[in-house]
Amino acid sequence: MLEAVTNFIVLFTYTNPCDCLTQVWLVYLIKIPAFMYIVASSLSHFAIMIERVLATVYVKIYEKKGKMFGVISTIIVWLLSLIFGLYIFITSQMDTDTFSHPVVYITLTNNYNFQTIIYLNFFLLILVICVAIADYYLIRRNQKIKLNFFKSTTNYSLNKSYQAKQNILLMKIIFPLDFSYSFIYTIFIILTNFMRYKREEYGQLVYVRTHEGLTLVNIKNFKINQHKTITPYNF
């Protein structure tokens, strides 16, 4: 808080332009969580989809190991996100020309990691699209399972019937959210990568402003989806 107040005062009292530069540690504090979010948000949607697949295809295993899967998937998502955050930190440390002194722009993208970030974004784009497709498939699959229970009385299973109804209910809630997330994320990836390729043409300032604005929209979209996904369980 004190640092923020000090920086605000400096904007009106500085005599040397270098006083307005951002300390590298503050750039890490702001940007590394944002990079981790990009990975965590997509992987969390993927983990939810896998959990629903288990609940649909392997009902008995899910009944016994469902909670364990939730714990393990959460740990994996956090671990991969932390690894990516560490990768961003290490690659920025390698760029001594940029990050050995206070910086003008709050960004950690550099020559050592920009290709990896681009490839990762396209990979996550494919991942979230596959998640949306899988969600739709799960809805259809559970509807068929439920229909088969009504047709057959000899193979009726109360557990499977209950699980199928629950899966249909949850997937009808989750699918629109995953679809909207995939749609917004697709736009986010296309525009951010376009700005990366046009970075030299448009300039660093335009690139940073545009990228930060797109990131905020993407984060807001994820927060809305997360809230709507959690809300039904509260009732």
Side-chain angles (χ1 to χ4, degrees):
M1 182 63 181
L2 180 60
E3 184 74 20
V5 173
T6 303
N7 290 337
F8 182 76
I9 295 174
V10 166
L11 291 176
F12 299 97
T13 60
Y14 73 92
T15 56
N16 184 353
C18 293
D19 294 338
C20 292
L21 298 178
T22 305
Q23 296 296 322
V24 176
W25 68 265
L26 185 58
V27 178
Y28 289 144
L29 187 63
I30 295 173
K31 294 301 297 181
I32 287 182
F35 279 109
M36 291 173 59
Y37 150 79
I38 293 175
V39 175
S41 60
S42 301
L43 291 181
S44 62
H45 280 258
F46 179 73
I48 292 173
M49 183 271 291
I50 295 297
E51 185 264 347
R52 287 296 94 195
V53 169
L54 291 176
T56 300
V57 181
Y58 304 102
V59 179
K60 292 183 179 180
I61 296 177
Y62 177 76
E63 289 177 349
K64 297 179 180 179
K65 306 293 184 180
K67 292 182 179 180
M68 183 181 297
F69 173 81
V71 173
I72 293 174
S73 60
T74 301
I75 293 174
I76 292 174
V77 169
W78 271 103
L79 184 61
L80 292 177
S81 302
L82 289 171
I83 290 174
F84 184 61
L86 181 61
Y87 167 78
I88 294 297
F89 174 78
I90 292 174
T91 51
S92 62
Q93 287 287 303
M94 294 168 61
D95 189 357
T96 55
D97 293 336
T98 303
F99 298 102
S100 60
H101 50 75
V103 296
V104 178
Y105 303 105
I106 302 178
T107 179
L108 293 177
T109 305
N110 55 70
N111 293 331
Y112 294 95
N113 60 27
F114 81 97
Q115 283 290 354
T116 302
I117 293 174
I118 291 175
Y119 294 148
L120 178 65
N121 283 335
F122 280 115
F123 169 76
L124 295 178
L125 173 60
I126 295 172
L127 183 67
V128 296
I129 292 175
C130 290
V131 167
I133 295 173
D135 287 344
Y136 178 76
Y137 165 78
L138 287 173
I139 292 176
R140 304 294 297 177
R141 175 67 183 270
N142 281 284
Q143 287 175 342
K144 289 182 179 179
I145 293 174
K146 183 179 178 181
L147 184 62
N148 290 334
F149 284 141
F150 286 110
K151 290 182 178 180
S152 176
T153 57
T154 57
N155 296 326
Y156 182 81
S157 172
L158 181 61
N159 288 340
K160 291 183 178 180
S161 177
Y162 171 78
Q163 192 63 59
K165 291 179 181 179
Q166 185 183 45
N167 289 339
I168 293 172
L169 175 62
L170 292 178
M171 293 313 302
K172 284 184 177 180
I173 297 172
I174 294 173
F175 174 69
L177 302 179
D178 275 347
F179 180 81
S180 64
Y181 176 79
S182 300
F183 180 75
I184 297 297
Y185 192 74
T186 300
I187 296 176
F188 169 76
I189 293 298
I190 292 174
L191 292 180
T192 52
N193 281 289
F194 173 79
M195 289 303 300
R196 282 193 178 94
Y197 283 116
K198 294 290 185 177
R199 187 173 183 172
E200 294 184 0
E201 180 180 342
Y202 292 153
Q204 183 74 358
L205 180 60
V206 175
Y207 165 75
V208 172
R209 285 178 175 176
T210 305
H211 189 277
E212 293 303 311
L214 292 171
T215 301
L216 288 175
V217 172
N218 193 34
I219 291 175
K220 183 64 176 178
N221 174 60
F222 176 71
K223 290 295 185 181
I224 292 174
N225 285 349
Q226 188 180 45
H227 173 72
K228 289 183 178 179
T229 303
I230 294 174
T231 300
Y233 294 96
N234 296 333
F235 296 93

